[in-house]
Each structure stands twice: as C-alpha cells, then as structure tokens.
Amino acid sequence: MTNAEIAGVFEEIADLLEFKGENAFRIRAYRNAARTVEGMVESLAGVRADAGRKLTEFDGIGSDLATKIETLLDGLPLKMLEDLRKAVPASAFDIMRVPGLGPKKARLLVEQLGIDSLDALEAACQAGRVRSLKGFGGKTEAAILENVGFAKNPENRRMLWYDADLLVQRLLEHMRGCAAVVRIEAAGSWRRGKQTVGDLDLVVESGTPQSGDVAMVMDHFGAFPDVQSVMLRGDTKMSVRLTGDVQVDLRVVRGASFGAALQYFTGSKEHNVVLRGRARDRGLSINEYGVFPITDGETATSARDRTPEHGATEEEVYAAVGLPWIPPELREGREEIEWAEEGRLPTLVSVEDIRGDLHMHTHATDGEESLADMAAAAIARGLEYIAITDHGQRVRMAHGLDASRLLRQWEEIDRLNEKLREQAREEGRKTPRLVVLKGIEVDMLEKGGLDLPDEVLEQGDWIVASLHYGQNQPREQITKRILEAIENPNIRVIGHPTGRLINRRPAYDVDMEAVIDAAASTGTFLEINANPMRLDLDDVHAAAARRAGVKLVISTDAHSIQGLDLMRCGVIQARRAGLQAADVANTLTLKSLQKLIASSR
Ligand code: DGT
Ligand code: CA
Ligand code: CA
Ligand code: ZN
C-alpha cells in the first residue's frame, strides 16, 4: 500500500467513526494521522524496512496506529475497518457522497428518517420531511435536493486521474516483472489524461498463445496483489477487479499488432470513429490488430492470425490514413483531426517547460511548511520563481492574513530574496537560483470587493483572486464578483475559476464566456489549478480561453512540499486543452513574465 492509500484508509475510519457518533478525540486522531501520512515525503514501507527507524517517530502515530500501518503494508485486512463497515449501512456511504452532507448529518438522516438510498433521500426532501430534522431547515433541504442528482450521476464516481496513475505505475512495475512481457503500455482514458478514469486498460506484447507466453502473462496479471477476482479470461483478453472496485482490462497481442492495439485501446471512441472512416475512404480497415486492405469477409478474429501491413507502431497506423501521429491527450474527436490534416498540430506544453509555480501556501495560513522550506523545495525541483500566495483574512478557518501579517510576510520574502542573491554572488552566478514573489490569494467577497485593500495589494508582485464563499449565489452575482476582480488592476490571475471539486462539489454557476472575454481584454490570467481534485479550469474551458487569446497559469496550489509535485496533473489537462508553452504564462522567464504584465496594464 502507498502512503496515499493508507491515508485514505484512516480518512475512511474517521468518517465511519463520525457516522457512528463516536468520541471526537478518537476521530481527530485518525484525521490527524491521515494528514501526517499524506504529507510524508518518504514512503512508510521504506521507513518500516529501515531497522534504525520506527513508525512511531512521526507526529500523531502512536503504537496502535503503527500496528495498523504494518498490517496495511502487509496487505492484510484491518479488522477494525471491516467491523466498522459492517456496522454502518451501505446507504450511508451513498448519502455521504451528496455534496454538503458529512457523516454527522448522514447519520441523522439514516437514524431519524430511515433513509436507505439516494432515491429515498430525494423523496424525503420532496415531501418536506428533511427540514424538520434538528439542524437542517428548509434551506438545507433545498440544497440537498439539488445535490442528490450530483451524487446519483455515475460520472461523479470515477477515479481521479491522479489515483488511476498511482495504480497504473504499480501495475506496470508488476507486469514488467514477467519474463513473457516484451512490452507493456497503459492505454484508455488514463493515457489520454482525462480528469477521471473509469477503468484501466493495459496492452501487452508477448509471444504466441501456443508458446505458453500468453498464459504466463495472464497468470502474472492475476497475481497482482490487489486482484480481488478474475472477471474474464479469454485467449487474448483478461479482465480483473481490484480492491476499491477498480476494473483492469488486459490485451495481449503480438509485436506486429502492438501499435494498432495501443492506438485502438487508447481511444477515444469518437477519435477512433473518425480514423476508421478515413481508412474506409482509402479501402482500408483498422482494428486492434492492424491496418488491413478491405477484402471480402474480413473480421477482427481472422485479422488476429494474419500479419497486418501496418500495426507495429501507432505512427504506422496514423500514416496509413494520411495523418501524423497525434498525442493521446488530444484524441477526443475535437479539433485534433483538422489540426493533423493541416499539419498544424500544436507542440503541447510539457512539465519541462514550466519555470515557475505561482500559487502555494505556507504555515502562515493552511499550508504545512515555512516560507524558507517551500523555497528550498522549489529550488530542488528546478523552479526559477515561485509566488507565495497564502489566504487573505476572509478565510478565517485557515487563519487568513490581515494587512499587517501580510506585510510582515512580504518583508520576510524581501529578506529571503536578499539571501538568495547573496548566495548567488558567493557562487559566482549572475542571478539567484530562485526568486520569490510577494503574493496573496485574496477572496472575492460575497458582497463584492476583496478581503484586503488595494493600497496593500499594490505593494505585492502577484495577486491571485479566488472565490471560496457564497458559491450558491445566482449566476449574475457570482459572475459580477469575478468580473469586478478581473477589472481590478492589482489582480493578476483568477484562482480555480469555477470552484468545482471533482466527485465532491459541482462548479458554481458562472458565465465563463464573460469571464474569458474580460480576462482577454484586461490581460488577466486564468488559472489551471493542478490539484487533482480541482483541475480548474478544465480542458474544455482552458481551450476556450486559449482561443480567446487568454494566457493560462498552471499552478499547484501546494499546501505542502509534496503538493509541488502535482504540477504534472495540471500540465496534462493543459495538453488536453491543446495548450502550447506560449499559451502558459509560467513557462516564461520571470523577466518576460514581468514584461508581459507591464505591457497589459
Ligand atoms: P473510461 O474507462 O470510461 O475512463 O474510458 P476509456 O476511453 O478508457 O474507455 P474504455 O475503457 O471503455 O475503452 C478503452 C478504449 O478502447 C476506448 O477509448 C476505445 C476502445 N474501445 C473499447 N471498446 C470499444 C468498442 O466497443 N468500440 C470501439 N470502437 N472502441 C472501443
Ligand atoms: Ca478505460
Ligand atoms: Ca476498459
Ligand atoms: Zn490556494
């Protein structure tokens, strides 16, 4: 088990304890442990393997939790979790997926009203029975009714790309340990970098079925530690179900078909439909085994045993239909075929292009690290500049900064930059390794305006404006709040512009077209927040911003050092939006970025 998975188990335990109404102290212990584990740089497995160390050396991990971690690392079930799961009705898990319904409220609904499904919850709201519960009221009831649909939608139950990626990496590593695996790639929506992933798709090159190689591959696949059940095992296809209800499909093909299979199972369906149409126009047929001339009665099964003319690489498949290779992130049947045909496929932005990270928090508000430690971590990651953007005072929960605390932090940043310049002089470099920008994430207030005055903001280098409160306001009001911030010359960028949390909370209602237009005319940037739960703007909105000439900023919104490594999640969404380095402001050198800002004001 990875740290993230162990943290997930502790979170689940905390939720279940809370649902059962257990001791608040005990619940908090599990939540704290989850946070500690999530924020660790080293793996718990590594710490445990080190004879000189103990799991109990970490804050909040006592001997009881250490034993539980060991059990999880051994891949054994946790009795406590299993008991808790049995003690909590299955419907409770569904109810807790309704945005705004935590374990406590879910418990009241189950116990007081006997709610046993999302449908029952919907009916109870419609009948006005929920508002009578203690602590609920008519407004809460209306909100629940609105959010039940969100929880019911299967689109909101898919894995986050980040979680799918962790699993994919483990699967690939496991499968590469099999002697009969010549090559393996993961395909499907994971390879396209989709924000959420339904199931995982693996494509393996191996020898013939007669040689016994395919059986070896399948046996090895079935021995992956997370496999709960084998759903299907055929000649070339196998599907398994993993813990956490994740399906993985595996295809085994020969080398001559590997590219064709990878292309076919990468999808998307929409993209592949266009490709097949182009093939037909050329008297060809494409399937997962390769590209074949259309002859009478050709089928996929007969194709399996023939050697295709083109199919060893994806490039061959695309070339056969007169196209250059298309990056997987673009394969959604949107603009990519036209671009490919006209020879103007974009050179997509990559993680290596990123020079700065312009949204992050320190322990001055809800981050975990000091300013100096975030800066050191940024240097270790090769960043040239960062902006420290703690919360403004409106976010009281996070101990947001008022003007005097902010100005003190900015003085501290001045001193840090001076130290970095001094270091550069000592090392004989012209420029410091890192420049830290004086920033803040101000809140666009419910009634309009910002939570810090302009006289303060104009002394900063990089002001992010975000909307954290009043997200249920009507469209006009939310749009007005954001447009007002965009018009404010101190605001550089709108943070997570739609506020959505994938699988948890829908976007607030905002006229994104108006926001994009205003951003374009003022030279305000829009953020692609790289947090895997946010990915906000999403690919579709980011593409719309690109077309309008708005520059995007890809930021991690890191609250810890590990958080800085999420940049790649934002970059992959930017790639799906067809963004090139030139569309992304934080690929610029700091000098060019500053010039760009000055020119738009
Ligand atoms: P997901 O798993 O829902 O996140 O999305 P995908 O795109 O990974 O879809 P999946 O796993 O059903 O199939 C992987 C790819 O394989 C899909 O993008 C296109 C191809 N594919 C699968 N089944 C079919 C099919 O019945 N017809 C066609 N044309 N393509 C298919
Ligand atoms: Ca899939
Ligand atoms: Ca699949
Ligand atoms: Zn933030």
Side-chain angles (χ1 to χ4, degrees), residues 60-75:
I61 310 286
S63 61
D64 173 56
L65 282 170
T67 311
K68 289 201 168 69
I69 290 172
E70 284 174 352
T71 307
L72 292 169
L73 287 174
D74 288 336

Side-chain angles (χ1 to χ4, degrees), residues 158 188-189 192 197-199 201 264-269 272 276:
R158 296 158 53 90
S189 51
R192 302 199 310 279
V197 171
D199 69 9
D201 305 279
Y264 183 92
F265 292 109
T266 297
S268 66
K269 262 177 202 142
N272 287 355
R276 278 202 299 276

